[in-house]
Amino acid sequence: MTVRPGTGIVGRVAADETRDGVALTNLDQPLFDGAGATKRDLVDYLDAVRDRILPVLRGRPLSVMRVRPGQEPFVQKNLPKYAPGWIGSVSYWAEASRRQVTYALCDDRRTLLWFANQRAVEYHPALFTGDPAEHHVTHLVLDLDPPEGDGSFESAVRAAFLVRRALDEAGLAGAVKTSGAKGVHVFVPVEAGIAPDDLAAATRALAARAERLDPALATTAFIRDDRAGKVFIDSTRAGGATVVAAYSPRIRPGVPVSFPVSWDDLDQVAPGDFTVRTAPGLLAGTDPWARRMPEPRRLPGDLVDEGHTIPVARVQAMHEGKRRARARRAE
């Protein structure tokens, strides 16, 4: 397959159909091994929910996870050089990888369709809009990652209610969704102007407060071996991190979807309830993610101050890993 640069028009492979000027190909191929769905199912789903997913992607640097027949899924951050010229983008220096990255901005239907035709299954937008230098972060996020085994999602739900209690006590509020895998995401909208370091600190403090409510259930231990079968409250989704978007499919059997759930219903659902085939019918013309998202609130000063006393999880884990390695060598 070839693509004429700047056009998005596929050559040598006849399009199965065209939507909004985007040529769509190989629609009846399996999406990936074990998907139980075709590429057409992905395209049809994303097109059906475009009015819900585009608002959470628009204006945000986007990373996607793609699949190709016979290959392992892979993350794509840089917008390919063969991408159509009408796709918006933003470029900036990525400190983690030490390189300049040009991220796509998925702002409209034809961009979403183009990505779907590229077999982009998962959509991971940044938690800020525009250039990170503007510091326009919009949400504080806690990612609840349960241990493996039966009842893992149920344990993530129980941990989510701990987070909700911690938010209530801090005078904050959030919306919740399934991750589309086995976990739960809590999104807390924050007032504009918060410094990234303060947002990260508040996230650490909320995670610690939730952990203290039930340390037998939840942990903030970044090192997996230290979690002792507990739900990991991940406080590292701040700054330049991404989180899978509401309504995004996931590369898992059955192609589940990260789906908004009300707090009242959270303990009555399962991740498999929401897939590319079932989710559009469940929406019934509504946008539950937008409807249930609270108004942005100012982060309490005591929460931020507490967070600045808590070590950054990744840095702490790195130092601890080195300490343990030295101890093993000394044995």
Side-chain angles (χ1 to χ4, degrees):
M1 182 182 75
T2 61
V3 181
R4 295 202 297 273
T7 67
I9 303 301
V10 178
R12 294 207 304 267
V13 177
D16 294 349
E17 64 177 274
T18 299
R19 301 186 198 179
D20 207 3
V22 178
L24 304 171
T25 60
N26 301 314
L27 293 178
D28 295 323
Q29 285 186 352
L31 185 56
F32 54 86
D33 290 344
T38 65
K39 183 178 172 182
R40 184 185 299 277
D41 291 321
L42 173 69
V43 171
D44 286 347
Y45 168 76
L46 289 170
D47 205 14
V49 302
R50 63 182 184 271
D51 291 338
R52 282 81 171 181
I53 194 171
L54 283 173
V56 299
L57 301 179
R58 188 170 290 122
R60 298 176 185 272
L62 178 66
S63 300
V64 296
M65 284 195 69
R66 294 176 55 194
V67 290
R68 286 175 175 162
Q71 297 183 20
E72 291 296 312
F74 62 96
V75 176
Q76 178 180 292
K77 295 180 179 290
N78 260 310
L79 184 64
K81 292 181 179 179
Y82 59 78
W86 38 259
I87 293 181
S89 64
V90 59
S91 296
Y92 58 86
W93 181 256
E95 197 61 41
S97 56
R98 305 294 299 172
R99 63 189 177 115
Q100 192 79 9
V101 179
T102 298
Y103 290 89
L105 298 174
C106 190
D107 291 348
D108 52 39
R109 181 194 183 202
R110 62 178 179 168
T111 300
L112 185 63
L113 288 170
W114 184 84
F115 271 113
N117 192 58
Q118 295 287 304
R119 293 177 180 265
V121 179
E122 298 190 9
Y123 295 76
H124 295 250
L127 296 175
F128 57 84
T129 57
D131 191 298
E134 299 173 4
H135 299 320
H136 191 192
V137 291
T138 56
H139 294 83
L140 179 157
V141 175
L142 288 170
D143 179 4
L144 308 178
D145 184 19
E148 297 291 342
D150 294 339
S152 61
F153 181 72
E154 289 81 359
S155 64
V157 168
R158 289 165 54 208
F161 287 122
L162 298 181
V163 171
R164 191 185 191 191
R165 283 177 56 190
L167 288 171
D168 287 343
E169 292 170 3
L172 297 170
V176 65
K177 65 183 179 73
T178 66
S179 70
K182 60 179 181 176
V184 174
H185 294 155
V186 180
F187 272 59
V188 183
V190 297
E191 284 190 356
I194 182 74
D197 286 349
D198 287 343
L199 180 77
T203 309
R204 294 194 296 274
L206 276 171
R209 291 183 182 187
E211 177 185 29
R212 290 197 295 268
L213 290 172
D214 190 348
L217 169 65
T219 180
T220 56
F222 190 81
I223 299 174
R224 189 177 296 274
D225 290 344
D226 293 346
R227 296 176 192 171
K230 302 175 186 179
V231 177
F232 175 44
I233 304 179
D234 186 355
S235 63
T236 65
R237 302 303 182 102
T242 65
V243 182
V244 71
Y247 307 114
S248 172
R250 304 301 303 269
I251 304 175
R252 290 179 171 264
V255 200
V257 170
S258 181
F259 201 82
V261 182
S262 72
W263 284 106
D264 291 341
D265 293 337
L266 184 59
D267 58 358
Q268 302 174 46
V269 302
D273 294 341
F274 314 108
T275 71
V276 292
R277 289 199 172 103
T278 64
L282 295 172
L283 292 171
T286 65
D287 185 348
W289 190 236
R291 189 178 75 246
R292 293 174 182 144
M293 188 64 66
E295 289 296 315
R297 299 184 187 180
R298 181 183 299 275
L299 291 175
D302 66 310
L303 188 72
V304 175
D305 291 342
E306 178 184 340
H308 280 299
T309 70
I310 300 173
V312 176
R314 293 182 188 276
V315 175
Q316 184 182 36
M318 178 185 67
H319 291 309
E320 178 61 17
K322 291 179 178 179
R323 186 195 68 77
R324 294 181 187 185
R326 289 194 298 269
R328 285 193 297 269
R329 290 193 296 268
E331 291 178 353

